[in-house]
Amino acid sequence: MAVKLFDRDWRFIVEAIYQINSITSLDSFQREVLEHLQVLAPADQGTFFLYSTDGDFRPIGTPVVVGDPAKYMDLFMNGSYNNDPYFAGMVSLGQRNRVFRDSDILPEEYRIRTRLYREVYARQGIHYGLRAFLICNNSLEGNISIFNTKERGEFSDKAVEILAILEPHIALKLWMLRHPDRTQIQKPPIDATTLISYGLTNRELEILAAVMQGTSDRDIADRLCISFSTFKKHLYNIYRKLNVNSRIQLYNTVKAAGNDTIDGMRLR
């Protein structure tokens, strides 16, 4: 799928990944993901299900919903549509493709005749769907489904591409939130007391301390009276010198090494 994403799209995507990775509450995580997705791929309704971890492809609990209220959820959740070709196609395609439109499951002339479509989706005005099955470590952890009315129209290739980019990041974070006892943080290859020996300048140490405290990028730049582009250059140098590729890796590397303070600033 050849889809052109513009610079602003990538900025929104990167910001969304950073924000959702900073969340520690499962409920907040589900809602934050859907709200970011509403900006990147607007839809009439969005739902975020969690799935049973016993391998039976079964949604559990109450899904988080944004946009239009989700109706007839009890019908969907009680399993009465498990043998419906719409649902069966969803399961089959989700195990292979992870991100897909409902129009990829069945041709429309067949899909609109299914019980699931007639009894759940059509009754609340839903016609088009775009889904992501969140799989990490061979475990189906959840499902994101966003829906449009017939009037709003089918989801674009761009929306599919954006959700496909976000899916592995969302799936990994969801797995970490649901299985904290199985999430292993590797011992970093450096000791925190030797950070300065890796060539970090005083300014970089100052920025690192502020980042570790959770201060926003803009606030750090303003506090240090430097331009935002200069801040980004310093942050890039920190990543390069510590051999990390993300805020999560940076945070884990410094905290797991047992560092309580950097440049006189206490880390939280």
Side-chain angles (χ1 to χ4, degrees), residues 49-232:
F49 285 90
L50 299 180
Y51 272 71
S52 167
T53 57
D54 56 13
D56 64 354
F57 221 86
R58 175 173 52 87
I60 58 174
T62 303
V64 173
V65 180
V66 300
D68 295 341
K71 302 176 182 178
Y72 315 111
M73 194 61 69
D74 56 331
L75 295 177
F76 181 77
M77 295 292 289
N78 67 16
S80 61
Y81 300 104
N82 286 2
N83 296 322
D84 186 270
Y86 196 162
F87 183 85
M90 202 186 307
V91 171
S92 176
L93 197 56
Q95 291 174 323
R96 291 182 283 116
N97 287 13
R98 298 198 182 183
V99 176
F100 56 88
R101 285 172 284 218
D102 282 10
S103 55
D104 298 324
I105 301 172
L106 290 170
E108 183 166 321
E109 59 267 28
Y110 295 109
R111 184 164 53 88
I112 62 176
R113 297 175 188 172
T114 63
R115 285 182 55 233
L116 178 57
Y117 179 86
R118 289 184 288 106
E119 297 176 9
V120 175
Y121 296 140
R123 291 172 68 188
Q124 55 187 312
I126 287 174
H127 189 72
Y128 298 105
L130 172 60
R131 305 177 191 269
F133 282 90
L134 307 171
I135 301 173
C136 183
N137 292 324
N138 296 316
S139 172
L140 173 64
E141 296 294 329
N143 164 265
I144 294 171
S145 297
I146 58 176
F147 302 102
N148 277 343
T149 61
K150 186 176 289 188
E151 290 71 26
R152 184 185 282 265
E154 178 63 286
F155 290 96
S156 66
D157 289 349
K158 179 179 176 181
V160 177
E161 179 74 4
I162 288 173
L163 187 53
I165 292 170
L166 291 173
E167 183 274 330
H169 299 278
I170 298 170
L172 174 59
K173 181 63 178 182
L174 179 60
W175 186 87
M176 294 172 68
L177 288 172
R178 297 190 76 194
H179 307 281
D181 56 320
R182 295 165 60 188
T183 302
Q184 300 294 321
I185 300 176
Q186 294 183 345
K187 180 70 175 177
I190 62 172
D191 185 88
T193 59
T194 64
L195 280 176
I196 197 168
S197 71
Y198 281 76
L200 293 180
T201 66
N202 289 335
R203 178 63 90 189
E204 288 164 356
L205 286 170
E206 196 173 15
I207 289 174
L208 177 57
V211 168
M212 294 293 293
Q213 287 187 321
T215 308
S216 73
D217 293 355
R218 292 287 181 183
D219 285 346
I220 295 172
D222 290 344
R223 179 192 299 173
L224 300 179
C225 299
I226 58 177
S227 69
F228 191 64
S229 62
T230 298
F231 164 80
K232 286 294 187 182

Side-chain angles (χ1 to χ4, degrees), residues 26-47:
L26 185 56
D27 287 342
S28 298
F29 171 75
Q30 292 174 265
R31 184 163 299 280
E32 187 85 9
V33 166
L34 290 176
E35 289 176 351
H36 277 290
L37 197 56
Q38 277 283 55
V39 175
L40 293 162
D44 291 305
Q45 181 190 100
T47 62

Side-chain angles (χ1 to χ4, degrees), residues 11 13-23 169 172-173 176 185 188 204 206-221 224 226-240 242-256 262 267-268:
R11 286 196 296 270
I13 290 170
V14 171
E15 178 63 21
I17 293 171
Y18 172 63
Q19 291 294 335
I20 64 179
N21 270 299
S22 67
I23 298 171
H169 299 278
L172 174 59
K173 181 63 178 182
M176 294 172 68
I185 300 176
E204 288 164 356
E206 196 173 15
I207 289 174
L208 177 57
V211 168
M212 294 293 293
Q213 287 187 321
T215 308
S216 73
D217 293 355
R218 292 287 181 183
D219 285 346
I220 295 172
L224 300 179
I226 58 177
S227 69
F228 191 64
S229 62
T230 298
F231 164 80
K232 286 294 187 182
K233 290 177 182 176
H234 284 307
L235 190 61
Y236 170 79
N237 286 334
I238 293 170
Y239 278 27
R240 177 177 55 81
L242 297 186
N243 193 30
V244 299
N245 297 310
S246 69
R247 296 292 179 96
I248 297 298
Q249 289 182 3
L250 180 66
Y251 185 86
N252 288 341
T253 295
V254 176
K255 290 296 287 183
I262 297 176
L267 307 180
R268 54 176 193 171

